[in-house]
Amino acid sequence: QLEADPHTVSWWTIPVPGRTYRLDYRPQWVDGEAYSNIWSGAATDSYLEIPVDGLVPDNPPSGFFRVTVPYAGP
């Protein structure tokens, strides 16, 4: 069992060469408010932990986070 620091966002990944993960953030759940990208990178292991202290304005970090995998399609 993995225990993440409460100031990190973590998720299981599939480390595929060339695959990029994006971590997006928005401070509130308000219609029309967009997410902004706060981190992007590749996975070198099957589990990623991204410390969000310093990436978001709130301390301690709070808000809504999402992970996306950009895909250009064939």
Side-chain angles (χ1 to χ4, degrees):
Q1 170 152 357
L2 297 171
E3 284 193 36
D5 180 302
H7 299 155
T8 64
V9 175
S10 57
W11 65 95
W12 293 99
T13 67
I14 300 172
V16 174
R19 177 174 289 160
T20 300
Y21 290 88
R22 286 178 45 115
L23 178 60
D24 299 332
Y25 165 79
R26 68 193 261 182
Q28 308 176 55
W29 193 261
V30 177
D31 286 342
E33 184 176 347
Y35 279 90
S36 58
N37 179 244
I38 59 171
W39 178 89
S40 62
T44 57
D45 202 351
S46 60
Y47 188 74
L48 277 176
E49 283 188 353
I50 307 302
V52 293
D53 281 333
L55 296 179
V56 300
D58 299 330
N59 189 11
S62 64
F64 296 89
F65 298 88
R66 73 176 179 189
V67 174
T68 60
V69 179
Y71 177 68

